[in-house]
Amino acid sequence: MKQRLAQFGVIFLGIEAWVALRDTTSVVSLVIGCVCIAILACCFALRVCREIQTIKKDNKQARDRQEARRREQQ
């Protein structure tokens, strides 16, 4: 449910940014569009950081298992 809600939020922000940035005559719409883009960029950066942390954790666990096998063989 949380992932689905996040997906709808990203879609909404993307559409909102697109609509707001189409009207370049209004300062308010430009600000709204830029804020939406900034929020999307922040969400993307957080997701990338989480993925990197997950990969690091998986790599550490794999190294630990490999080291344990080496110790057992000796």
Side-chain angles (χ1 to χ4, degrees), residues 50-73:
R50 270 187 266 143
E51 291 292 326
I52 290 171
Q53 292 299 324
T54 301
I55 290 169
K56 285 181 179 179
K57 190 167 79 173
D58 290 345
N59 287 344
K60 184 180 183 313
Q61 289 173 351
R63 282 192 306 269
D64 291 344
R65 284 193 303 268
Q66 193 175 26
E67 185 65 32
R69 277 190 227 121
R70 280 190 201 138
R71 280 191 226 127
E72 287 175 2
Q73 290 176 354

Side-chain angles (χ1 to χ4, degrees), residues 36-56:
C36 290
I37 295 291
I39 292 170
L40 286 171
C42 184
C43 291
F44 180 74
L46 288 173
R47 183 172 178 156
V48 168
C49 287
R50 270 187 266 143
E51 291 292 326
I52 290 171
Q53 292 299 324
T54 301
I55 290 169
K56 285 181 179 179

